[in-house]
Amino acid sequence: MSELAMIPAAKPIIGDEEREAVDRVMRSGMVAQGPEVAAFEQEFAEQVVGGRTCVAVNSGTSGLHLGLLAAGVGPGDEVIVPSFTFAATANSVALTGATPVFADIEADTFNLAPESVRAAINDNTAAIMPVHLYGHPADMTSLQRIADEAGVQVFEDAAQAHGAQYAGAPVGSFGAFAMFSLYPTKNMTSGEGGMVSCADEEMARGIRLLRNQGMEAQYANEIVGLNNRMTDIHAAIGRVQLTKVGAWTATRQENAAWLDANLGGIDGVVVPSVREGCTHVYHQYTIRLDGASGQERDRVVAALREEHKVGCGVYYPTPNHELVSLHRFAPEHDLPETARAAAEVISLPVHPSLSQGDLDRIAAAVADAVKAGA
């Protein structure tokens, strides 16, 4: 019997259309920020965030950083963020000179818990920045209410949530700005890049200045800026991907529904929850091993990868406030739901390249690995 091929945890889809778009741009001679970027910004705005002005940048982290700077966040300010997320969320705050303040998460959605946010508000709080983790929207109604009561801003880290909706509105249409990542493993990619959705033209202009050395017109530098531009090559890839992401998302949702039905009955496995009124786009399909320690979870992950050849990931095994790079901001934080999630979560393949045979293998592997690890 031949050895099983590994089912990849993620699989970027790059086809002939993307290659042809890159070739077209290369032949044009205009490879830096130009007409492709402008077209991508307009198309992303219309198709993803309900027409809000969008500004393209060279990465998702750049999008967060420039958004925070354009919003006036800096030294002496605090921004409330989840600790259960990728480090870029807190890194972007720290890079402005402000302080990331870590709040706990909801057990069911893995997103910021409003009451934990409320408890973290103080006179130095400048903003709340939820992450729509794994592609599930955060509780924007409750978080906006808390922000309004405190007189602070809301920003969105929508890196993983292209096309997700909350109460009928697209994520990325709530905060003063919202960032979408276009990294290769996201639901759509530009090869590398980010897109920032802006609530008003003042925010958009500020980000445009910051991404291009502080100038909109050549050599007319208005502020001290950075070089965080997107190239026309990357924008051309993104424009093609934008025409496909809707169908890919539908397939992710179908795969997730199948996994829900076939994993939900396994003792100790908790499948993802979707809050009423929300649309989950399943950047990750993340299960919990209820009550597991990190070591027990890691044994199941090892079995999935090594014995069953099922690629999977743990996002995220070390909360931000425990990272060496960020520990100074929260040396004695107690975030119980964050700690529990970090020990229990496993993200399984859900991408649109999966076959029915792959799905069958994933379900059988999880049942076997969990039983063996019990």
Side-chain angles (χ1 to χ4, degrees), residues 103-247:
D104 211 354
I105 57 170
E106 300 172 323
D108 52 353
T109 70
F110 302 106
N111 287 316
L112 269 179
E115 289 311 307
S116 183
V117 171
R118 189 185 299 277
I121 295 276
N122 63 44
D123 291 342
N124 295 321
T125 304
I128 302 165
M129 189 157 71
V131 178
H132 304 299
L133 199 69
Y134 303 143
H136 189 292
D139 183 353
M140 297 309 298
T141 299
S142 298
L143 295 172
Q144 188 64 61
R145 183 183 304 118
I146 293 167
D148 291 344
E149 291 170 358
V152 304
Q153 300 184 86
V154 172
F155 312 134
E156 296 175 76
D157 183 337
Q160 304 176 357
H162 316 66
Q165 293 195 350
Y166 176 87
V171 303
S173 66
F174 293 91
F177 76 84
M179 177 280 293
F180 294 85
S181 172
L182 298 166
Y183 185 73
T185 58
K186 297 302 189 288
N187 290 20
M188 64 169 286
T189 184
S190 59
E192 180 66 280
M195 190 70 76
V196 187
S197 160
C198 305
D200 55 48
E201 288 303 316
E202 181 181 1
M203 172 64 71
R205 184 169 189 273
I207 295 172
R208 289 192 196 103
L209 288 171
L210 286 162
R211 78 174 171 181
N212 189 33
Q213 306 289 5
M215 59 184 181
E216 286 195 287
Q218 191 173 28
Y219 303 132
N221 303 74
E222 300 176 42
I223 61 173
V224 175
L226 298 157
N227 177 4
N228 290 156
R229 298 185 301 269
M230 177 181 282
T231 70
D232 264 21
I233 297 170
H234 291 93
I237 296 170
R239 293 182 69 193
V240 173
Q241 294 261 307
L242 195 55
T243 69
K244 303 176 179 180
V245 68

Side-chain angles (χ1 to χ4, degrees), residues 52 59 105 158 197 206 211 251 260 299 342 353 374:
R52 292 214 323 179
S59 74
I105 57 170
S197 160
R211 78 174 171 181
T251 301
D260 284 349
R299 285 197 292 271
S353 296

Side-chain angles (χ1 to χ4, degrees), residues 312-337:
C312 55
V314 176
Y315 310 105
Y316 299 90
T318 306
N320 280 197
H321 72 281
E322 295 179 1
L323 293 171
V324 172
S325 57
L326 295 166
H327 182 65
R328 69 186 185 279
F329 295 112
E332 297 182 4
H333 255 39
D334 180 26
L335 304 175
E337 290 299 338

